[in-house]
Amino acid sequence: MTNSACVMKTCKWIKGLAVLGWLACLPGLASAETVRIFAAASLQGPLDQVAVQSDEDVVISYGGSGTIARQISLGAPADAAIIANTNWSDWLVARGVIPSPPRALMSNRLVVVAAQGSAPWTHADANTLRAHLSGGRLAMGQHMSVPAGIYAQAWLDSIGAWDDLRQQLAETENVRAALALVARGEAPLGIVYASDAQASTDVDVVWQVPADAHPPIRYIGLALTPAGETFLDLVAAQTDAFVAAGFVALP
């Protein structure tokens, strides 16, 4: 998977190989178990911070939720996954590869971003988008697989802009890649999560998409092992860390 991020605990050096070997034989003093987590790219940052608090060594691989779901269905070694769409979690459950019930962990908001210093819009419709694109491309996640892209398509449909702008899309494999296109000036506009926009100093939010203009955004935790279940417990207990990063707590 792309954008792998490893969060590893450090330990103090123990002098003397003989002492180290003796301690390793004692119950409870063996090296920490490695817990492998697959997570939606939009979680990068706050999820890393939460993982540091784990008693185990946590290795997080970030990517698009659709890619994650397909990899898990093919038997990729993961203890847990956090994906940003209930359709993908339902797809995995239907295939019988998730031993524990999925759990909703948090939500997010969809926003339109432009280059830093851009003025906020007073309204958004197909004409507004077309005018601000000025012939450029609208960056967003792939509308068939990336949750942020799925939500973006629903919003564009609701304002009658999807058919008009389909040929001007720059679709990416995850939402952070869409953000990067705008941050680098390669696309004049992007549709991303509010948490992504908050994580970048190179873009400004010009429009907040109404929550009722797309399906509810839900980050779903899927445990495949007991270690993964424990990690999801830790994530669920750290709601404040995600809210501080721009996510939305569930009621």
Side-chain angles (χ1 to χ4, degrees):
M1 297 186 62
T2 60
N3 300 326
S4 295
C6 299
V7 184
M8 308 295 291
K9 294 290 184 182
T10 59
C11 61
K12 295 181 179 179
W13 289 102
I14 303 176
K15 295 182 179 180
L17 292 177
V19 174
L20 178 59
W22 175 73
L23 288 173
C25 295
L26 293 180
L29 289 181
S31 59
E33 176 186 356
T34 297
V35 180
R36 293 175 174 82
I37 308 298
F38 290 0
S42 54
L43 290 164
Q44 191 167 6
L47 189 61
D48 293 335
Q49 297 171 15
V50 170
V52 171
Q53 302 177 41
S54 173
D55 293 330
E56 311 295 346
D57 292 340
V58 179
V59 177
I60 306 176
S61 295
Y62 292 101
S65 292
T67 299
I68 290 171
R70 287 189 290 268
Q71 289 181 337
I72 289 176
S73 73
L74 295 173
D79 292 286
I82 306 176
I83 57 181
N85 186 270
T86 56
N87 290 340
W88 281 118
S89 65
D90 292 344
W91 183 80
L92 286 169
V93 169
R95 278 154 180 75
V97 297
I98 307 299
S100 301
R103 58 165 108 174
L105 297 171
M106 66 200 77
S107 183
N108 214 324
R109 292 165 294 167
L110 207 62
V111 299
V112 181
V113 294
Q116 185 183 34
S118 299
W121 301 349
T122 57
H123 68 282
D125 56 21
N127 291 331
T128 304
L129 287 163
R130 192 182 302 108
H132 285 279
L133 285 172
S134 300
R137 293 193 174 273
L138 174 62
M140 56 179 268
Q142 294 172 351
H143 73 280
M144 294 293 290
S145 60
V146 176
I150 295 170
Y151 301 131
Q153 180 188 359
W155 171 57
L156 293 173
D157 267 330
S158 76
I159 61 173
W162 176 250
D163 290 336
D164 287 346
L165 299 178
R166 282 192 71 170
Q167 303 306 313
Q168 288 183 254
L169 299 181
E171 296 185 83
T172 61
E173 64 180 7
N174 63 66
V175 68
R176 284 296 176 95
L179 177 72
L181 289 178
V182 182
R184 295 195 300 259
E186 297 175 19
L189 298 176
I191 305 175
V192 300
Y193 294 126
S195 59
D196 298 308
Q198 183 172 316
S200 175
T201 58
D202 297 318
V203 304
D204 278 335
V205 173
V206 294
W207 183 254
Q208 296 199 24
V209 177
D212 60 0
H214 55 75
I217 298 172
R218 293 290 182 269
Y219 287 80
I220 307 298
L222 304 166
L224 291 97
T225 68
E229 194 77 62
T230 298
F231 181 76
L232 292 180
D233 288 340
L234 177 63
V235 173
Q238 297 295 322
T239 302
D240 289 349
F242 291 95
V243 171
F247 292 81
V248 177
L250 294 175

